[in-house]
Amino acid sequence: MKNILALFITACSWVTLYSQHTYAFFGSFNWDKDTEGIYVYELDIIKGNLSKITSFKGIANPSFLTISPDGKYIFACTESKTENGGSVSSFEFSPEKKTLTFISTQKSGGENPVYLTVHRNGKWLINGNYSEGSVSVYPISDNGKIEPYVQNFQFSEGSINHDRQDRAHIHSTVFSPDFKYIFMPDLGADKIRAYQFQDEKEKPLQKAETPFVQTFPGSGPRHLTFHPNGKFAYCIEEMGGAVSVYFYENGKLENIQRIDTHSAKYKEGFESSDIHISPDGNFLYASNRGNENNIAIFSIQNNGTLKTIGYQSVKGKHPRTFNIDPSGNFLITANTGTNEVVVFKRNPETGLLKKVGKKIKIKGVSCVEIKRY
C-alpha cells in the first residue's frame, strides 16, 4: 500500500511539473518605440531552449523589468537614457492567451530609471533613477495601473571618483526579506541607503535608525541581494570589481567580507554588474563586463562568507544582467554588447555552469526576469 501511495505522489508531482510553464521576460534598449522592446520566451526546463511567445512595441528603452508576486503584471523602466525622459510602465501578461498588454505609465521622477521592485502585497512599486540620484514610490491599483508617485527622494552627494561619482546615482531598490525595509545602493555616493517601509501609510518610506552604510571608497555599489535565510546580504560593486558581504538584522548591515569578482589577471577597468543566489542558498553568482565578460561563481559558507569556485564565460559581451530560474537548474544571461541571450545549465552540486540550447538574438537586450506559471 505504501509503495502504491509513493508512486501516486510521484506521478502527481510529475504531472504538476509538466503542467507548469516557465517564462523568461527580456527588456531592451530599442531606442525606437516603433520596434519591439519587451520580449517573452518560454524556457524548456529539460533542454534549456527558449521559444518566443510574444513581444511588445510602442515603448522606448524598457531597460529593466520586474514581475508582480502573482505574475500577472510586468513593470518596466521606460525611456531609460532618454533626455528629458524617464518613466515607469505596467503591462498585463496572460500565460493562457500568451499576450502582453499595456496598462499604464507614469513619470519616473528623474532621468534614467534603472531598477524597479514590487512589494510582496503587490500594492507598491519602488523605482530608482540613476542620473539624478532619486527614488520614487508608486501605489499600484488592483488592475495593475501605476498611480502617480507619492514620494520622491532626491540625493546629491558624490564620492572620490570625480568622473563617475560627481553626485548620487541610485542603481537599485531592494526590499529586506521581511519587506520592512528598503535598501538603495548608491553608486555615486558609495553608500547603501536604507529606509523603513510602512506599507499601511500613504507615504510608506520612513527614516531608518541607520540611514546608510558606507561602502569602500570608489567601489560604486550597484545591485544587492539577500540570502534565502534572511541573515546575510551581498552587494556587487561596479567600480571596485568586488562583492561586499554583510550580516543583516533589523534594518542594519554589518560588513563581514569583501571579495573580488574578477580573476587575478585583471587589475583595473572593472564593470561588475549583477548578482544572484541559487534558490538552495549554496552558491552566489556575479557578472563581470568590460575585459572579462564572465560570471564569477562563489560557494556560500555557513557563516555567510564567500569562497571563489571559478569563472564562466558568458559567450558574448557585456552581461548587463542575468537571472536564475525558480528551479535553480538554469542561468540566463542578457549580453547587451553582442545582442544575445545565452542559457546555461547549473550543476546544483558544484555550482558550475555549462552552456545549453541555442543563443537567442535580441537587439540591445538589457534585462532578464524569469517566472514559473
Side-chain angles (χ1 to χ4, degrees):
M1 186 68 180
K2 289 183 179 179
N3 290 337
I4 294 174
L5 180 60
L7 286 171
F8 176 75
I9 292 173
T10 300
C12 289
S13 298
W14 277 100
V15 169
T16 300
L17 177 65
Y18 283 97
S19 65
Q20 293 179 327
H21 297 268
T22 298
Y23 295 100
F25 302 82
F26 298 98
S28 69
F29 290 107
N30 60 348
W31 300 106
D32 179 1
K33 65 181 183 179
D34 292 328
T35 62
E36 293 174 304
I38 299 177
Y39 304 75
V40 185
Y41 282 74
E42 184 167 359
L43 174 67
D44 180 336
I45 59 172
I46 302 301
K47 297 181 179 179
N49 289 317
L50 290 167
S51 302
K52 188 175 180 181
I53 299 300
T54 189
S55 62
F56 188 88
K57 297 179 181 180
I59 51 171
N61 289 358
S63 64
F64 189 87
L65 310 177
T66 196
I67 305 172
S68 63
D70 61 6
K72 190 173 182 180
Y73 303 113
I74 310 301
F75 300 97
C77 291
T78 42
E79 298 182 271
S80 296
K81 294 188 177 182
T82 302
E83 188 175 358
N84 299 319
S87 58
V88 294
S89 304
S90 61
F91 307 81
E92 182 176 0
F93 175 64
S94 170
E96 293 80 21
K97 298 178 182 178
K98 294 181 170 48
T99 56
L100 194 61
T101 306
F102 175 79
I103 300 172
S104 67
T105 191
Q106 293 287 350
K107 289 295 184 182
S108 67
E111 285 196 11
N112 197 11
V114 292
Y115 199 100
L116 289 169
T117 191
V118 184
H119 192 273
R120 65 183 171 189
N121 64 16
K123 296 180 179 180
W124 295 101
L125 182 70
I126 318 295
N127 165 63
N129 297 299
Y130 179 83
S131 297
E132 295 179 358
S134 67
V135 172
S136 302
V137 183
Y138 306 83
I140 303 171
S141 298
D142 291 339
N143 62 359
K145 180 182 178 182
I146 305 171
E147 302 294 342
Y149 61 75
V150 295
Q151 288 178 289
N152 178 256
F153 290 87
Q154 297 275 337
F155 307 102
S156 58
E157 74 271 32
S159 191
I160 63 172
N161 186 319
H162 299 299
D163 292 331
R164 296 287 312 278
Q165 298 177 310
D166 58 321
R167 59 164 300 138
H169 295 303
I170 301 298
H171 219 309
S172 57
T173 54
V174 180
F175 277 109
S176 61
D178 60 7
F179 284 80
K180 292 182 180 179
Y181 293 88
I182 188 91
F183 291 90
M184 310 164 183
D186 185 337
L187 181 146
D190 286 324
K191 292 179 177 180
I192 301 175
R193 303 182 186 276
Y195 280 82
Q196 288 189 58
F197 196 88
Q198 299 179 11
D199 65 285
E200 74 283 358
K201 294 189 174 183
E202 291 184 6
K203 296 185 176 182
L205 283 193
Q206 304 292 323
K207 290 183 179 179
E209 181 181 345
T210 304
F212 66 87
V213 61
Q214 192 76 52
T215 66
F216 189 81
S219 60
R222 181 182 171 99
H223 286 182
L224 180 77
T225 191
F226 285 89
H227 193 279
N229 67 16
K231 296 179 180 179
F232 308 107
Y234 303 83
C235 184
I236 192 163
E237 299 167 353
E238 176 176 334
M239 297 164 58
V243 173
S244 280
V245 183
Y246 297 90
F247 175 74
Y248 174 71
E249 187 176 22
N250 296 328
K252 298 178 181 179
L253 297 171
E254 178 187 349
N255 185 248
I256 57 176
Q257 184 191 24
R258 186 168 184 262
I259 185 171
D260 289 341
T261 60
H262 57 89
S263 57
K265 65 180 179 179
Y266 294 102
K267 305 297 183 183
E268 59 183 15
F270 311 126
E271 292 185 52
S272 300
S273 56
D274 203 9
I275 187 167
H276 293 280
I277 295 173
S278 58
D280 58 18
N282 292 332
F283 296 94
L284 180 142
Y285 299 84
S287 57
N288 293 302
R289 300 171 294 178
N291 296 326
E292 293 187 73
N293 294 303
N294 63 21
I295 302 289
I297 305 168
F298 303 90
S299 63
I300 302 176
Q301 311 305 296
N302 290 335
N303 64 358
T305 59
L306 302 177
K307 179 182 178 182
T308 304
I309 297 298
Y311 304 89
Q312 170 63 54
S313 166
V314 297
K315 310 295 184 181
K317 293 182 179 180
H318 204 83
R320 188 171 188 266
T321 68
F322 67 96
N323 225 314
I324 300 171
D325 84 295
S327 73
N329 291 328
F330 296 97
L331 182 150
I332 302 177
T333 66
N335 298 336
T336 310
T338 42
N339 305 303
E340 290 174 329
V341 172
V342 183
V343 181
F344 295 89
K345 185 72 180 288
R346 196 182 74 86
N347 185 318
E349 301 299 324
T350 66
L352 297 179
L353 304 172
K354 181 181 180 181
K355 180 187 173 301
V356 293
K358 297 180 180 180
K359 290 183 179 181
I360 301 297
K361 282 285 186 181
I362 296 179
K363 187 176 182 180
V365 64
S366 59
C367 177
V368 53
E369 291 289 321
I370 310 171
K371 183 80 172 176
R372 180 189 292 162
Y373 291 80

